[in-house]
């Protein structure tokens, strides 16, 4: 008999954070899945496990005799059986299956019958002939879902991109981001660099990193960056809301590498940074979809209380289907042009009066088409009325000792005439947005911002009431939000 306390703990461990993402009760008691992490990678395994649990499958975190179906990816029959043997087998022996059985079952919404083609295949002897991938150049021409077959490669390239960005090397940062985005769009795992011949956006540096990881399992540059004092300090300090790479760099040069040293240094902090430091742990804990929904309910109430008919839309990563994010982004508008004027201060006052804001800073709308014209402002900051805030989210009493937690919340108000552009611009991903603007400029002679689309040759603004119309103006196939995860 397992003591009650332990049982409880392992129960919550089973569902983990995805309980909030709506885990269904087990629908297929005769099927117990185990996903083999080897070759699949930890993040893809976590993604697939969550997917299966949402569809009502039981997925075990650890292998045991209860497991009926072992799901593998890029593992040969020999390797699979070797691994199973090392686990002491399991009685009766579970199915050793390729991920194709899993994908078909997810699609069917039930465990499909195990066929020959689902069994792990033997690798043909000798060097396998690897097929070359082919992909469109711009990320906005491609479909990039959250399912990433190359997460160990893209994690590595993203870390190098992040390091470049933290060191104010934007060009290098973009190059690594483009390379990572390309690999995210591939239909299967890369097995050898020969498959990448002829792909766009893969610079010599990125290729070198990919090759080393494919051959040895890790990249020395990535590992030394990850371990470097400077990278760790930049990460820790920019993890404070209100602290950018420049400030972090200055502090590091003054000998400040972590929060403790910052607190002891007597540095003068601005209001945002003081709030950021105070709520550091909360803000650096990912926001779940359930938390975003809870905040949406409050903001919806605020918005409709201060202006009848005003509407809000969840944008950012959550609109792309992500299950967690670093903040929550909402767009606010009203179907009658002009009614949205002055809305933000009222919404903010309502939230403040109810005690929902731990910090807020509102910037007013500074975009005027007649004055500003089509050019977009430096960087991709747009000029909507915008509120950066830290939201005080009440926490369900039984799930925590605390009554609330802090969550980063961004609010943006857009006039309805610009709403489609605002929605497209605020849905991301950041690289997808960057690529849309690059495509517009280089391929179409147009300027795209979160406010408008301007045709430079004809000298006219192109109006749009939906995202679909903007893609049409740009001569691009429509890519839905869930496939903009470049
Ligand atoms: P986020 O930084 O919130 O990214 O910006 P995200 O994709 O939602 O990621 P997580 O899940 O929070 O970690 C959301 C979108 O808003 C745009 C960004 O380009 C991105 O597409 N954005 C952000 C702007 O247009 N302007 C800004 O000043 C900030
Ligand atoms: Mn976001």
């Amino acid at each position: 008999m397992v003591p009650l306390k332990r049982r409880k703990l392992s129960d919550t461990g089973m569902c983990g954070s995805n309980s909030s993402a709506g885990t269904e009760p087990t629908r297929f008691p005769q099927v117990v899945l185990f996903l083999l992490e080897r070759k699949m990678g930890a993040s893809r395994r976590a993604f697939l496990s969550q997917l299966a649990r949402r569809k009502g499958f039981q997925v075990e975190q650890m292998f045991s005799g209860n497991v009926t179906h072992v799901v593998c990816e890029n593992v040969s029959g020999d390797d699979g059986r070797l691994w199973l043997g090392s686990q002491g087998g399991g009685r009766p022996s579970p199915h050793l299956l390729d991920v194709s059985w899993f994908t078909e079952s997810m699609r069917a919404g039930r465990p499909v019958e195990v066929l020959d083609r689902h069994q792990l295949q033997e690798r043909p002897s000798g060097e396998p002939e690897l097929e070359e991938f082919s992909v469109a150049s711009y990320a906005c021409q491609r479909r990039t879902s959250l399912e990433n077959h190359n997460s160990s490669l893209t994690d590595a390239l993203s870390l190098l991109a992040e390091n470049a960005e933290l060191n104010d090397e934007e060009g290098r940062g973009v190059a690594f981001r483009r390379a990572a985005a390309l690999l995210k769009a591939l239909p299967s795992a890369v097995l050898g660099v020969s498959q990448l011949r002829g792909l766009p956006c893969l610079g010599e540096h990125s290729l070198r990193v990919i090759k080393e990881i494919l051959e040895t399992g890790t990249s020395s540059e990535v590992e030394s960056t990850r371990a470097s004092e400077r990278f760790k300090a930049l990460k820790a300090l920019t993890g404070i809301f209100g602290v950018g790479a420049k400030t972090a760099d200055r502090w590091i040069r003054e000998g400040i590498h972590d929060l403790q040293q910052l607190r002891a240094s007597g540095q003068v902090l601005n209001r945002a940074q003081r709030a950021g430091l105070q709520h550091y742990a909360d803000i650096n804990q990912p926001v779940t979809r359930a938390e975003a929904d809870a905040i949406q309910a409050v903001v919806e109430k605020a918005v409709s209380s201060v202006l009848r008919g005003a509407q809000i839309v969840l944008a950012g990563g959550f609109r792309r289907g992500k299950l967690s994010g670093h903040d929550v982004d909402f767009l606010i508008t009203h179907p009658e042009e002009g009614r949205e004027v002055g809305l933000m201060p009222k919404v903010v006052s309502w939230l403040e009066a109810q005690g929902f804001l731990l910090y807020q800073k509102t910037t007013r709308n500074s975009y005027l088409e007649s004055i500003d014209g089509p050019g977009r402002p430096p960087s991709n900051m747009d000029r909507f009325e915008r509120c950066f805030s830290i939201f005080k989210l009440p926490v369900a009493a039984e799930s925590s000792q605390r009554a609330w937690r802090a969550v980063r919340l961004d609010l943006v108000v857009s006039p309805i005439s610009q709403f489609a552009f605002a929605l497209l611009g605020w849905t991301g991903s950041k690289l997808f947005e960057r690529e849309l603007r690059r495509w517009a400029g280089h391929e179409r002679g147009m300027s795209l911002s979160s406010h408008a689309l301007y045709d430079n040759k004809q000298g006219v603004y192109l109006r749009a009431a939906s995202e679909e119309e903007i893609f049409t103006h740009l001569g691009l196939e429509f890519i839905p939000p869930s496939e903009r995860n470049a």
Side-chain angles (χ1 to χ4, degrees), residues 199-248:
L199 282 188
C201 318
L202 273 182
E204 183 256 332
H205 194 158
S206 296
L207 263 177
R208 186 162 16 104
V209 173
I210 294 169
K211 187 160 187 279
E212 191 183 339
I213 295 176
L214 290 177
E215 285 168 1
T216 70
T218 55
S219 145
S220 47
E221 184 180 357
V222 171
E223 293 319 315
S224 66
T225 302
R226 199 198 307 278
S228 84
E229 291 309 319
R230 180 173 168 81
F231 180 71
K232 285 194 277 191
L234 283 168
K235 285 274 285 185
L237 297 174
T238 57
I240 305 170
F241 171 65
V243 177
K246 288 214 171 65
T247 304

Side-chain angles (χ1 to χ4, degrees), residues 114-412:
V114 173
L115 303 174
D116 262 0
R117 62 185 165 83
H118 295 134
Q119 312 279 357
L120 290 192
Q121 302 297 308
E122 295 315 322
R123 198 180 293 134
S125 55
E127 264 295 280
E129 191 55 45
L130 297 175
E131 206 181 322
E132 274 186 43
F133 291 112
S134 117
V135 196
S137 304
Y138 289 82
C140 55
Q141 298 172 289
R142 310 190 289 249
R143 294 176 180 271
T144 313
S145 73
L146 285 170
E147 194 179 359
N148 177 359
H149 300 274
N150 288 286
S151 50
S152 61
L153 296 176
T154 58
D155 287 352
L157 293 167
S158 300
L159 184 133
L160 295 179
E162 190 182 9
N163 184 52
E165 288 156 1
L166 287 172
N167 283 291
D168 206 19
E169 301 172 317
E170 206 197 325
R172 272 161 70 88
V174 174
F176 286 129
R177 295 264 175 226
R178 284 218 188 102
L182 190 91
L183 299 180
K184 286 182 195 168
L186 297 181
S188 61
V190 177
L191 302 173
V193 274
S194 65
Q195 293 177 283
L196 303 176
R197 271 192 299 252
L199 282 188
C201 318
L202 273 182
E204 183 256 332
H205 194 158
S206 296
L207 263 177
R208 186 162 16 104
V209 173
I210 294 169
K211 187 160 187 279
E212 191 183 339
I213 295 176
L214 290 177
E215 285 168 1
T216 70
T218 55
S219 145
S220 47
E221 184 180 357
V222 171
E223 293 319 315
S224 66
T225 302
R226 199 198 307 278
S228 84
E229 291 309 319
R230 180 173 168 81
F231 180 71
K232 285 194 277 191
L234 283 168
K235 285 274 285 185
L237 297 174
T238 57
I240 305 170
F241 171 65
V243 177
K246 288 214 171 65
T247 304
D249 176 64
R250 198 182 72 233
W251 287 346
I252 292 171
R253 280 186 278 116
E254 294 175 28
I256 300 168
H257 294 84
D258 56 33
L259 303 197
Q260 216 178 349
Q261 291 171 343
L262 176 63
R263 285 201 176 96
S265 72
Q267 282 283 341
V268 180
L269 304 181
N270 64 30
R271 202 168 60 88
Q273 294 163 347
R274 285 199 303 272
L277 197 54
Q278 195 178 348
H279 303 294
Y280 187 86
D282 275 359
I283 290 176
N284 284 283
Q285 182 194 327
V287 187
T288 65
R289 176 66 204 228
E291 288 170 332
D293 291 341
I295 296 174
Q296 175 153 11
V298 174
V299 177
E300 228 151 41
K301 193 155 171 227
V303 167
S304 59
S305 306
V306 300
L307 178 65
R308 259 192 62 182
Q311 291 160 3
I312 77 165
V313 174
L314 179 59
F318 288 112
R319 182 161 183 256
R320 302 197 306 274
K322 281 177 61 179
L323 296 174
S324 70
H326 92 286
D327 69 354
V328 189
D329 312 283
F330 290 109
L331 285 182
I332 307 174
T333 192
H334 190 284
E336 264 172 73
E337 183 83 3
R339 294 290 300 279
E340 81 290 345
V341 174
L343 181 54
M344 186 70 92
K346 289 184 195 153
V347 172
V348 170
S349 298
W350 191 98
L351 291 170
E352 261 181 339
Q354 307 265 332
F356 280 115
L357 297 184
L358 295 161
Y359 166 90
Q360 69 85 13
K361 182 178 156 65
T362 307
T363 54
R364 43 180 290 274
N365 182 352
S366 63
Y367 177 83
L368 262 181
E369 190 176 285
S370 52
I371 298 174
D372 290 318
R376 53 191 155 83
S379 88
N380 60 5
M381 280 296 269
D382 54 58
R383 289 172 285 174
F384 288 113
E385 202 172 8
R386 178 171 177 187
C387 174
F388 304 88
S389 75
I390 303 178
F391 190 88
K392 184 174 176 178
L393 176 66
V395 175
E398 68 272 18
S399 68
S400 164
Q401 308 288 71
R402 295 181 43 193
W404 56 271
R405 70 163 285 206
V407 177
R408 276 275 298 112
L409 166 68
D410 279 358
L411 302 175
V412 180

